[in-house]
């Protein structure tokens, strides 16, 4: 199904080369400031064609609010956003009309639905992630009311890992690099694979500050489980780690446990989540993106009839999807947290009284 | 909330030291063979106290079917399972009654709900995972009808990684080890940390054979996203990888793309999922468990009043939760796939006709 | 599926003649007083065999809390309730083993699921409504915190309509009659049809006092729509009316509109709901029950092979299901309102601030 | 929340005087013929301004498909529909800007959300029902594949009841009258109340032919419960009856039970539903609409400050909302049945095999 979230819920529609893409954001509390300006600003961070580390493809991505906002604030009615597709021509895709691009969803969509919408990946295109970013901006505005602050950036490109992370620097970096000292090398690697007509993977790091204690609805809407779902569902993501993540499996309990004192936790191996509930420490999440599947090297595949084909992809594509993926990650974390913030409201009888008495 | 799954749905209840734990399995198609015998067999694989690599705590875990089954087959009514807790005494927990055990959910549950149910972790105890295993056994019976086969085992304990994986061997190993040649070393490490009053992390590997093409409901019930949610939600899991997982982020597209020929895929970096939909290749998933938080070394923490406390845990605990976690992982994968199998039924008009015409 | 409610959610299991029936109540805010005593009291109001206007069948219906409650209050964990079936013998049903009782669900369950669980209606038996009553008692405890008061009773039996309604009197009446002056005639009618080996329909009236303004989540979780769903889903209910109900269709706007002044509404044709949202006026709902389908007169039907059969039902049955249905109606209204109370918490940004700041 | 349906799901957005209204239809099986032409035809049946029995307000209501359809058939991706509001001017509403119209949702929306979107009722306007009609047309196309046929019409206007119902005649009647012999009187009544600056209630009757046995998911997605929810949620509906409905409460079991023979049922008091599951008989449902709340007579109300106001409404309004409501009822029944058709697919193991083996 095409919605995400329980009480703060986004339902999206649209294909890469259809008339438009859009979404309905449901469950936004009435009275929140909502306007096209800050949503557009978020979209602009994801926009392709901004520099040589991204696809040179241009997408206007001009968002319009269709409903749910009156005099600049949310009314409690569903908020619909629409982005018209400027370039609906699917000429670029004539040459792949009948073949399945390796590592893309062409094959599985065709088998599942029995339909081949070849135009730029159709529904499976990462173009849909623009809507996550747009909806995430509204979620972020809600989070800001209670001071929650999500920050993110690139920690690795291929095998070039950052060490010292500066989220403020990442905002200014063309590739959202977190480690200033590694940025140049990471950029070089991107350009190198681009020249090789190839692509490269990367890793995004998220940190969330000022998370209220108590977010997460165990046992089956745990905060970490919902984050994992939200992030693994992003195009190209192949692994999600919380706190020490995979490395925790190598440690002893005495090394991994976060001891506490009256002044707070002495470490943060857990990544700010205990038993699926936020502990008040900063959330720490790592998201691993595979390399862009669209490469220009010659590849083997099959066509709709199941016959062998050798082909070379044309068009313009990101050499590293992790970079723009960083903006999508940021948005999905916003969406999960906004939902959890609302869900947690009824955890205690005390809160019911606060609202009604 | 306390349910998992959309149309094949499990809702669980019960705490570590309450009267009983149990679950309601809803959405099981009528006509499936269901009996206590095979559910009990699955539970027995998870049962503690079987060897020195597990906690010596004994849990009878005798399951009883309360409803939904008539003359050995499911009736379409919800199937309720119950396991009475034999040992409801919470004496063992008197000494931690007022303190928050590090790396446990004591602190966050107390803050979220304002209640301190100190008896063995209450709802947050891994005891609840017995129900996942029980429900997973019913899901597996359904999967078997269409020949889907889930297999799993331990690939790493701490830093001792297996290389050659044999799922048949794992079934016979006391620690579910996948690599026969590493089993002894892995066992030794477990005993060593146990002797040190410490614990150790581990990694579970899952492979699923004969997955029908088309499972997964994009864009927000993608197969990989739902697996990530299901697995990250298991107690102690800190990272989930699909296919090449984290390693994919280090690769180039030309290395990571799975090319196809008329004889099938030439590799399986994707782990059997493309665009959130099963491709017909084997699923490959890695799940990283942190070390058991319950260790017997002295640790610092705070009590309910926020004051500093130094304490040493008593009782019996698994030195490595990944081992019994392996059985829970297996079950959760079953649950996700059974749900996806049902959800996918309406993907094509053709299927509607098959059922109704 | 077998759950009701969104955030205050009840999932039930069990058949008429299975081992046990039970339910899981999820979403109860932590800190609410929950005990078997008040749940049992609610169940006792529904209990059969109390007087000659009900079935003489005895059901112990002893409820036990299995989880979710610690030291007398809810912990935020799911609350499981169980009622063991004392009489699991299905001998009484041997004679209907292969036939479909008219106006019962025997035929449709068999066709839908392909299974004939003949024991007392199996899952479709009204026995399951005991669980609604039990869960409704917990919901009512929550509603009482904010002073919401649900009251109900019988307004009509067959064609004998009450006029003057006294909800306090109904509590003391063996048939929950609302109109003291008609109670005797209504009782007589029940005994008369009983002597004729027949049954009779009836109507329940509900009034809810002190409803907070704002309950109901338009457009598709409107308060009236959710009440209609909840009530039409009760065994034997064939019509639901809100406010003036069917009669509103005969009126002019000038007769039906509820005008307002600064002292409040001048009338209550709407039944306390405008646009699917509670207006602060009393809720008024009418629920029409068909006559008990189980009658002792000779009837025509078919057997599992589709052959004609003439038969006479044996056993003990309510001559008028509306009477015990009154208790179930009361419970379902409680469940809807408790859910709506929680859902409405996030309607305004102001409430988010109340909880988190 | 703003969605309806479980697997065949419609999420709507938009206000009476916003930029646009629209919806996302999710869960449409791939391969279904979908085009603007038949959706527009359904919308045209609801369109105002067609004759003197409706509001003279003109709404173009030109629908556009934005996604989910490729080369004339559904692709399995969500189908988005949009209708731009031609007349966004809210001048007409200047005079009611600060007051709450009696029997409208103005008061409750303001109290719930703290916002006064005065423009024509905002989200609570019946304008949103155009989307139900549009989505219902797609659902109907799916139902037609398995020969299900929904038909509906007006049986009563005020106290003028039809007796002999002809669904074919209703299609040709300007007021969708089912009884040709009463049509003239019903029309006269409408014109009379219109001249009196008043309005009148009415009743819609639905009959569904060729319903497969087995639709409805007990115990909490019963077919009758879901129909009641769907229909009670339509603007202005105050009562829903299934089969004999309210009248069943006056009958004896021997009168109300539908006996069966090998040639089928001998009567249809149940309205085609037993135990919440379709029996294969025709569905029969009655829906009671209150009179249009918008009347031109002088009325008392209060303003935003709570002060008394006497006012007369201006503008153009339907004298009887049941007439256009008939089209909305038809659509909602389509939506419920399409959803139930999909949900029922997994009722039996046999169906799983049909799809996968």
């Amino acid at each position: 199904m095409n919605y995400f979230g329980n009480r703060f819920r986004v339902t999206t529609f649209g294909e890469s080369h259809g008339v438009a893409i859009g979404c309905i954001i449901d469950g936004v509390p009435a009275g929140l400031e909502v306007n096209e300006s800050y949503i557009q600003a978020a979209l602009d961070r994801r926009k392709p064609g901004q520099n040589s580390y991204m696809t040179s493809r241009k997408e206007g991505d001009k968002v319009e609010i269709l409903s749910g906002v009156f005099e600049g604030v949310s009314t409690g009615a569903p908020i619909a956003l629409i982005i018209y597709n400027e370039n609906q021509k699917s000429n670029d895709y004539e040459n792949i009309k009948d073949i399945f691009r390796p590592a893309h969803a062409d094959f599985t969509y065709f088998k599942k639905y029995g339909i081949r919408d070849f135009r730029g990946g159709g529904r499976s295109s990462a173009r849909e992630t623009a809507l996550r970013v747009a909806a995430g901006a509204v979620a972020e505005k809600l989070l800001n009311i209670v001071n929650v602050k999500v920050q993110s950036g690139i920690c690795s490109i291929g095998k070039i890992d950052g060490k010292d992370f500066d989220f403020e620097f990442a905002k200014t970096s063309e590739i959202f690099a977190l480690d200033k000292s590694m940025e140049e090398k990471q950029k070089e690697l991107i350009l190198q694979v681009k020249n090789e007509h190839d692509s490269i993977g990367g890793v995004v790091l998220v940190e969330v500050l000022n998370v209220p204690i108590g977010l997460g609805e165990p046992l089956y809407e745990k905060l970490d489980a919902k984050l994992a779902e939200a992030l693994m569902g992003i195009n190209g993501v192949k692994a999600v780690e919380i706190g020490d993540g995979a490395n925790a499996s190598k440690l002893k309990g005495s090394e991994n446990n976060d001891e506490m004192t009256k002044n707070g936790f002495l470490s943060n191996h857990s990544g700010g989540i205990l038993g699926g509930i936020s502990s008040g420490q900063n959330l720490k999440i790592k998201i691993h993106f595979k390399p862009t599947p669209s490469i220009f090297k010659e590849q083997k595949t099959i066509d709709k009839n199941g016959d062998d084909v050798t082909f070379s992809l044309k068009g313009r594509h990101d050499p590293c999807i992790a970079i723009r993926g960083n903006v999508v990650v940021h948005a999905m974390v916003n969406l999960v947290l906004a939902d959890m913030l609302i869900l947690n409201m009824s955890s205690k009888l005390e809160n019911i009284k606060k609202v009604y008495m």
Side-chain angles (χ1 to χ4, degrees), chain A:
Chain A
M1 303 288 274
N2 289 281
Y3 68 90
F4 183 79
N6 187 321
R7 295 303 294 169
F8 191 104
R9 176 174 292 192
V10 186
T11 308
T12 74
F13 70 85
E15 297 93 38
S16 177
H17 285 63
V19 180
I21 60 173
C23 67
I24 302 176
I25 315 173
D26 204 357
V28 181
L32 186 73
E33 184 193 343
V34 179
N35 57 58
E36 285 155 3
S37 155
Y38 74 73
I39 299 173
Q40 190 64 52
L43 283 169
D44 289 349
R45 280 193 289 280
R46 177 194 163 280
K47 199 162 65 174
Q50 305 188 65
N51 58 54
S52 50
Y53 311 102
M54 299 179 178
T55 171
S56 60
R57 195 175 58 245
K58 299 283 183 189
E59 294 175 8
D61 279 2
K62 185 97 187 62
V63 70
E64 189 185 1
I65 297 173
L66 296 177
S67 68
V69 179
F70 186 56
E71 298 177 343
V73 297
S74 60
T75 64
I79 298 173
L81 305 178
I82 196 164
I83 301 171
Y84 278 90
N85 286 328
E86 294 181 352
N87 190 348
Q88 298 174 37
K89 287 178 221 151
S90 41
N91 305 5
D92 291 2
Y93 295 91
E94 271 302 313
N95 67 322
I96 58 153
K97 191 165 145 42
D98 293 321
I99 66 164
F100 303 122
R101 292 167 298 165
H104 272 281
D106 299 349
F107 176 71
T108 51
Y109 268 69
F110 179 65
K111 289 291 182 182
K112 182 179 182 75
Y113 297 112
I115 303 277
R116 180 81 172 101
D117 179 357
F118 55 82
R119 305 162 303 163
R123 181 65 179 158
S124 72
S125 165
R127 176 141 181 73
E128 187 265 356
T129 60
L131 304 167
R132 306 181 186 213
V133 172
V138 178
E140 189 157 36
K141 185 60 87 177
L142 177 62
L143 294 173
N144 289 348
I145 299 289
V146 293
N147 296 320
V148 177
K149 189 178 168 193
V150 178
Q151 44 190 18
S152 70
I154 293 286
C155 54
S156 304
I157 297 291
K159 288 166 192 158
I160 302 177
D161 301 329
K163 294 270 149 62
D164 299 310
F165 302 136
D166 178 346
F167 289 96
E168 288 308 311
F169 175 71
K171 289 183 190 169
T172 69
S173 162
E174 284 178 314
I175 61 165
F176 303 118
L178 283 165
D179 186 339
K180 190 174 180 174
S181 68
M182 303 304 275
E183 189 198 22
E184 216 43 57
K185 284 192 183 165
Q186 293 176 331
K187 283 181 166 179
E188 278 166 22
L189 176 55
I190 295 170
L191 294 182
Q192 177 202 319
V193 297
K194 196 176 161 186
N195 287 337
E196 292 169 358
H197 294 174
D198 211 330
S199 63
I200 188 75
V203 183
V204 170
L205 180 71
V206 176
E207 195 167 56
V208 189
L209 314 180
N210 306 327
V211 184
I213 308 181
L215 303 195
E217 302 295 303
L219 289 182
Y220 295 101
E221 278 179 276
K222 283 180 175 172
L223 181 53
D224 37 11
K226 282 292 160 185
L227 285 167
E229 178 192 18
L231 297 168
M232 193 69 93
I234 297 174
N235 308 40
V237 171
K238 299 304 285 183
V240 176
E241 305 185 70
I242 307 284
D244 279 8
N247 198 49
S249 74
K250 305 192 190 313
L251 299 180
K252 298 183 180 177
S254 57
E255 295 165 327
N256 184 69
N257 285 0
D258 298 315
E259 293 183 283
M260 302 174 77
T261 71
K262 61 185 168 192
N263 300 318
F265 290 92
L266 297 181
S267 54
N268 187 7
H269 297 283
S270 77
I273 303 175
L274 289 170
I277 300 171
S278 62
S279 67
Q281 285 196 288
N282 291 348
L283 300 189
K284 286 163 70 176
I285 318 158
K286 247 187 190 168
I287 302 94
H288 299 261
F289 283 84
K290 70 176 188 184
T292 319
S294 298
I295 57 173
F296 304 106
K297 293 194 160 184
E298 196 172 86
Q299 295 182 88
K300 289 178 190 152
T301 191
I302 57 172
D303 63 19
K304 274 171 66 176
N305 304 318
D307 293 328
D308 284 340
V309 180
T310 302
F311 84 109
S312 292
L313 202 62
K314 309 260 178 291
R316 294 153 298 175
H317 301 283
D318 284 288
C320 176
I321 47 172
I323 295 171
R324 292 169 61 214
N326 166 59
V327 184
V328 183
V329 161
H330 189 106
M332 291 308 292
V333 173
N334 282 330
L335 288 173
V336 170
L337 291 174
D339 199 24
M340 290 294 164
L341 198 74
I342 290 173
L343 293 175
N344 180 52
M345 290 178 78
S346 59
S347 59
K348 298 179 201 175
L349 196 58
E350 187 187 322
N351 293 350
I352 311 266
K353 288 179 187 168
K354 276 183 192 166
V355 167
Y356 288 105
M357 294 172 80

